[in-house]
Amino acid sequence: MESHMMSQLMTLTESTRSYSGCLTYMPKCKGSPLPILETGDPIDREVEFVPTKAPYDPRWMLNGRQNPDDKNCWQKGFFDHKSVHKILQPWAQTVVTGRARLGGIPVGVICVETRTVEMTIPADPANLDSETKAGQVWFPDSAYKTAQAMKDFNGEELPLMIFAKWRGFSGGMKGTESVVDFVDQALRL
């Protein structure tokens, strides 16, 4: 779901690497066991990144980050080091979705974006209007993205972890009914 220009610039090698990376998280066939990999990160490790009340990058909580006090150290996140692969981006940026590993076990992950994001409309480059969207709010597009990710992870038979820190819903121009419809669709899975 890249912007039009980005999809044209993506090379065959990048596409192949992206698809083959996603396949490492899925069972070989329906009903098969999950592909557990040796990652060197035990399940019972310490999570060193601590979320703050102020807006922060939720990817730091998921994947970890370079320690701000010691640039030579990595501050561990919830999942295995560099195992989080985001999906369905840059669409509906108030929700982060992806696949990750926890102790080598593949899982689907849905997380709330805590920062304000700018909404881009790539379909019409001549349209200079842009909107901002508050973080931690479920908009119709982010509710749909959540439902779509849940459906995908269910079809892939992946366990799902949701880090929910939503503070409300916003129907925006489409109306609150569409958010409720997408939330209902997500809950039916």
mmCIF file of all heavy atoms in Angstrom, residues 6 15 18 20 39 50 60-61 71 73 76 87 102-103 108 111 126-128 157 160-161 170-171 174 181 185 189:
data_model
loop_
_atom_site.group_PDB
_atom_site.id
_atom_site.type_symbol
_atom_site.label_atom_id
_atom_site.label_comp_id
_atom_site.label_asym_id
_atom_site.label_seq_id
_atom_site.Cartn_x
_atom_site.Cartn_y
_atom_site.Cartn_z
ATOM 1 N N MET A 6 6.207 5.625 -4.970
ATOM 2 C CA MET A 6 7.057 4.643 -4.308
ATOM 3 C C MET A 6 6.880 3.257 -4.919
ATOM 4 O O MET A 6 7.829 2.521 -5.069
ATOM 5 C CB MET A 6 6.769 4.583 -2.811
ATOM 6 C CG MET A 6 7.232 5.809 -2.058
ATOM 7 S SD MET A 6 8.980 6.175 -2.301
ATOM 8 C CE MET A 6 9.719 4.760 -1.500
ATOM 9 N N SER A 15 11.162 -6.127 -3.754
ATOM 10 C CA SER A 15 9.876 -6.822 -3.647
ATOM 11 C C SER A 15 10.080 -8.268 -3.234
ATOM 12 O O SER A 15 9.396 -8.782 -2.351
ATOM 13 C CB SER A 15 9.127 -6.790 -4.980
ATOM 14 O OG SER A 15 8.838 -5.474 -5.343
ATOM 15 N N SER A 18 11.138 -8.481 0.365
ATOM 16 C CA SER A 18 10.004 -8.177 1.238
ATOM 17 C C SER A 18 9.060 -9.368 1.354
ATOM 18 O O SER A 18 8.657 -9.749 2.450
ATOM 19 C CB SER A 18 9.270 -6.960 0.695
ATOM 20 O OG SER A 18 8.141 -6.686 1.456
ATOM 21 N N SER A 20 9.675 -12.620 0.606
ATOM 22 C CA SER A 20 10.305 -13.789 1.221
ATOM 23 C C SER A 20 10.487 -13.579 2.716
ATOM 24 O O SER A 20 10.393 -14.528 3.494
ATOM 25 C CB SER A 20 11.647 -14.111 0.548
ATOM 26 O OG SER A 20 12.549 -13.043 0.695
ATOM 27 N N THR A 39 16.635 -17.125 17.556
ATOM 28 C CA THR A 39 16.986 -15.709 17.370
ATOM 29 C C THR A 39 18.030 -15.216 18.363
ATOM 30 O O THR A 39 18.560 -14.131 18.203
ATOM 31 C CB THR A 39 15.739 -14.818 17.515
ATOM 32 O OG1 THR A 39 15.223 -14.961 18.836
ATOM 33 C CG2 THR A 39 14.684 -15.173 16.491
ATOM 34 N N VAL A 50 10.974 1.726 28.154
ATOM 35 C CA VAL A 50 9.789 1.996 28.969
ATOM 36 C C VAL A 50 9.011 3.146 28.318
ATOM 37 O O VAL A 50 9.538 4.249 28.167
ATOM 38 C CB VAL A 50 10.178 2.375 30.415
ATOM 39 C CG1 VAL A 50 8.953 2.687 31.244
ATOM 40 C CG2 VAL A 50 10.999 1.273 31.054
ATOM 41 N N TRP A 60 9.758 1.815 18.956
ATOM 42 C CA TRP A 60 10.797 1.627 19.977
ATOM 43 C C TRP A 60 10.353 0.583 20.993
ATOM 44 O O TRP A 60 11.141 -0.221 21.453
ATOM 45 C CB TRP A 60 11.101 2.929 20.694
ATOM 46 C CG TRP A 60 11.698 4.001 19.825
ATOM 47 C CD1 TRP A 60 12.292 3.847 18.606
ATOM 48 C CD2 TRP A 60 11.765 5.380 20.118
ATOM 49 N NE1 TRP A 60 12.716 5.056 18.120
ATOM 50 C CE2 TRP A 60 12.402 6.023 19.035
ATOM 51 C CE3 TRP A 60 11.336 6.160 21.186
ATOM 52 C CZ2 TRP A 60 12.639 7.383 19.003
ATOM 53 C CZ3 TRP A 60 11.564 7.517 21.146
ATOM 54 C CH2 TRP A 60 12.210 8.121 20.070
ATOM 55 N N MET A 61 9.072 0.613 21.362
ATOM 56 C CA MET A 61 8.552 -0.365 22.316
ATOM 57 C C MET A 61 8.554 -1.761 21.687
ATOM 58 O O MET A 61 8.837 -2.752 22.357
ATOM 59 C CB MET A 61 7.134 0.006 22.741
ATOM 60 C CG MET A 61 6.527 -0.970 23.731
ATOM 61 S SD MET A 61 4.818 -0.600 24.122
ATOM 62 C CE MET A 61 4.015 -0.905 22.570
ATOM 63 N N LYS A 71 25.275 5.370 23.058
ATOM 64 C CA LYS A 71 25.044 5.076 21.637
ATOM 65 C C LYS A 71 25.598 3.716 21.220
ATOM 66 O O LYS A 71 25.261 3.217 20.162
ATOM 67 C CB LYS A 71 25.680 6.173 20.749
ATOM 68 C CG LYS A 71 25.103 7.556 21.000
ATOM 69 C CD LYS A 71 23.656 7.625 20.602
ATOM 70 C CE LYS A 71 23.105 9.011 20.823
ATOM 71 N NZ LYS A 71 21.699 9.118 20.693
ATOM 72 N N CYS A 73 25.028 0.922 22.903
ATOM 73 C CA CYS A 73 24.146 -0.121 23.451
ATOM 74 C C CYS A 73 22.773 -0.061 22.792
ATOM 75 O O CYS A 73 22.298 0.996 22.403
ATOM 76 C CB CYS A 73 23.980 0.065 24.961
ATOM 77 S SG CYS A 73 25.470 -0.272 25.889
ATOM 78 N N LYS A 76 16.527 -2.887 24.515
ATOM 79 C CA LYS A 76 15.650 -3.943 24.014
ATOM 80 C C LYS A 76 14.180 -3.550 24.094
ATOM 81 O O LYS A 76 13.730 -2.964 25.063
ATOM 82 C CB LYS A 76 15.866 -5.230 24.808
ATOM 83 C CG LYS A 76 17.226 -5.824 24.599
ATOM 84 C CD LYS A 76 17.405 -7.075 25.422
ATOM 85 C CE LYS A 76 18.808 -7.612 25.256
ATOM 86 N NZ LYS A 76 19.069 -8.737 26.138
ATOM 87 N N ILE A 87 3.598 -3.871 8.202
ATOM 88 C CA ILE A 87 2.781 -4.120 7.015
ATOM 89 C C ILE A 87 1.723 -3.022 6.911
ATOM 90 O O ILE A 87 1.491 -2.286 7.858
ATOM 91 C CB ILE A 87 2.106 -5.511 7.057
ATOM 92 C CG1 ILE A 87 1.195 -5.635 8.289
ATOM 93 C CG2 ILE A 87 3.136 -6.608 7.013
ATOM 94 C CD1 ILE A 87 0.308 -6.853 8.284
ATOM 95 N N LEU A 102 8.806 -13.391 19.048
ATOM 96 C CA LEU A 102 9.002 -13.329 20.494
ATOM 97 C C LEU A 102 9.630 -14.652 20.909
ATOM 98 O O LEU A 102 8.963 -15.683 20.876
ATOM 99 C CB LEU A 102 7.670 -13.098 21.213
ATOM 100 C CG LEU A 102 7.729 -12.975 22.733
ATOM 101 C CD1 LEU A 102 8.629 -11.825 23.160
ATOM 102 C CD2 LEU A 102 6.338 -12.795 23.311
ATOM 103 N N GLY A 103 10.921 -14.629 21.222
ATOM 104 C CA GLY A 103 11.643 -15.867 21.512
ATOM 105 C C GLY A 103 11.670 -16.782 20.305
ATOM 106 O O GLY A 103 11.677 -17.999 20.447
ATOM 107 N N GLY A 108 1.558 -11.871 15.118
ATOM 108 C CA GLY A 108 1.067 -10.650 14.507
ATOM 109 C C GLY A 108 1.014 -9.591 15.599
ATOM 110 O O GLY A 108 0.795 -9.909 16.770
ATOM 111 N N CYS A 111 -0.376 -2.081 17.142
ATOM 112 C CA CYS A 111 0.032 -1.121 18.164
ATOM 113 C C CYS A 111 -0.500 0.265 17.796
ATOM 114 O O CYS A 111 -0.654 0.587 16.616
ATOM 115 C CB CYS A 111 1.559 -1.104 18.229
ATOM 116 S SG CYS A 111 2.243 -0.079 19.511
ATOM 117 N N ALA A 126 -1.806 16.905 -7.137
ATOM 118 C CA ALA A 126 -2.108 18.326 -7.311
ATOM 119 C C ALA A 126 -2.845 18.899 -6.104
ATOM 120 O O ALA A 126 -2.920 20.108 -5.928
ATOM 121 C CB ALA A 126 -2.931 18.532 -8.569
ATOM 122 N N ASN A 127 -3.381 18.025 -5.235
ATOM 123 C CA ASN A 127 -4.112 18.474 -4.054
ATOM 124 C C ASN A 127 -3.104 18.809 -2.950
ATOM 125 O O ASN A 127 -2.457 17.921 -2.402
ATOM 126 C CB ASN A 127 -5.071 17.363 -3.597
ATOM 127 C CG ASN A 127 -5.908 17.796 -2.405
ATOM 128 O OD1 ASN A 127 -5.758 18.894 -1.877
ATOM 129 N ND2 ASN A 127 -6.791 16.910 -1.983
ATOM 130 N N LEU A 128 -2.969 20.076 -2.632
ATOM 131 C CA LEU A 128 -1.995 20.503 -1.633
ATOM 132 C C LEU A 128 -2.558 20.493 -0.221
ATOM 133 O O LEU A 128 -1.851 20.790 0.734
ATOM 134 C CB LEU A 128 -1.463 21.899 -1.977
ATOM 135 C CG LEU A 128 -0.752 22.000 -3.331
ATOM 136 C CD1 LEU A 128 -0.329 23.444 -3.595
ATOM 137 C CD2 LEU A 128 0.435 21.077 -3.384
ATOM 138 N N GLU A 157 -2.790 -18.009 10.692
ATOM 139 C CA GLU A 157 -2.749 -18.767 11.941
ATOM 140 C C GLU A 157 -1.646 -18.275 12.882
ATOM 141 O O GLU A 157 -1.008 -19.044 13.585
ATOM 142 C CB GLU A 157 -2.597 -20.266 11.665
ATOM 143 C CG GLU A 157 -3.737 -20.837 10.850
ATOM 144 C CD GLU A 157 -3.592 -22.314 10.535
ATOM 145 O OE1 GLU A 157 -2.495 -22.879 10.690
ATOM 146 O OE2 GLU A 157 -4.608 -22.903 10.135
ATOM 147 N N LEU A 160 -1.801 -13.304 17.987
ATOM 148 C CA LEU A 160 -1.906 -11.851 17.833
ATOM 149 C C LEU A 160 -1.692 -11.164 19.165
ATOM 150 O O LEU A 160 -2.257 -11.571 20.181
ATOM 151 C CB LEU A 160 -3.290 -11.490 17.279
ATOM 152 C CG LEU A 160 -3.636 -10.008 17.182
ATOM 153 C CD1 LEU A 160 -2.689 -9.286 16.224
ATOM 154 C CD2 LEU A 160 -5.077 -9.835 16.742
ATOM 155 N N MET A 161 -0.877 -10.119 19.158
ATOM 156 C CA MET A 161 -0.685 -9.272 20.341
ATOM 157 C C MET A 161 -1.109 -7.861 19.965
ATOM 158 O O MET A 161 -0.683 -7.336 18.941
ATOM 159 C CB MET A 161 0.771 -9.286 20.776
ATOM 160 C CG MET A 161 1.244 -10.676 21.164
ATOM 161 S SD MET A 161 2.854 -10.653 21.904
ATOM 162 C CE MET A 161 2.413 -10.278 23.568
ATOM 163 N N SER A 170 -12.871 8.521 16.219
ATOM 164 C CA SER A 170 -13.236 9.726 15.488
ATOM 165 C C SER A 170 -13.755 9.324 14.128
ATOM 166 O O SER A 170 -13.060 8.647 13.365
ATOM 167 C CB SER A 170 -12.035 10.648 15.327
ATOM 168 O OG SER A 170 -12.395 11.760 14.526
ATOM 169 N N GLY A 171 -14.965 9.738 13.839
ATOM 170 C CA GLY A 171 -15.560 9.408 12.550
ATOM 171 C C GLY A 171 -15.100 10.310 11.437
ATOM 172 O O GLY A 171 -15.158 9.955 10.281
ATOM 173 N N LYS A 174 -16.284 10.725 7.413
ATOM 174 C CA LYS A 174 -17.063 9.539 7.060
ATOM 175 C C LYS A 174 -18.106 9.188 8.101
ATOM 176 O O LYS A 174 -18.922 8.318 7.891
ATOM 177 C CB LYS A 174 -16.130 8.348 6.867
ATOM 178 C CG LYS A 174 -15.175 8.545 5.711
ATOM 179 C CD LYS A 174 -14.295 7.347 5.534
ATOM 180 C CE LYS A 174 -13.344 7.574 4.379
ATOM 181 N NZ LYS A 174 -12.471 6.450 4.163
ATOM 182 N N ASP A 181 -18.576 0.262 12.480
ATOM 183 C CA ASP A 181 -18.665 -0.875 11.558
ATOM 184 C C ASP A 181 -17.348 -1.628 11.467
ATOM 185 O O ASP A 181 -17.329 -2.859 11.500
ATOM 186 C CB ASP A 181 -19.085 -0.416 10.159
ATOM 187 C CG ASP A 181 -20.516 0.055 10.090
ATOM 188 O OD1 ASP A 181 -21.293 -0.274 11.022
ATOM 189 O OD2 ASP A 181 -20.862 0.753 9.120
ATOM 190 N N GLN A 185 -16.435 -5.331 12.683
ATOM 191 C CA GLN A 185 -15.820 -6.295 11.760
ATOM 192 C C GLN A 185 -14.591 -6.924 12.405
ATOM 193 O O GLN A 185 -14.385 -8.130 12.313
ATOM 194 C CB GLN A 185 -15.454 -5.593 10.466
ATOM 195 C CG GLN A 185 -14.826 -6.485 9.422
ATOM 196 C CD GLN A 185 -14.431 -5.713 8.178
ATOM 197 O OE1 GLN A 185 -14.372 -4.490 8.164
ATOM 198 N NE2 GLN A 185 -14.142 -6.441 7.117
ATOM 199 N N LEU A 189 -13.850 -11.347 14.038
ATOM 200 C CA LEU A 189 -12.804 -12.287 13.643
ATOM 201 C C LEU A 189 -12.518 -13.151 14.798
ATOM 202 O O LEU A 189 -12.211 -14.112 15.067
ATOM 203 C CB LEU A 189 -11.546 -11.537 13.207
ATOM 204 C CG LEU A 189 -11.732 -10.615 12.022
ATOM 205 C CD1 LEU A 189 -10.489 -9.797 11.802
ATOM 206 C CD2 LEU A 189 -12.044 -11.415 10.778
#
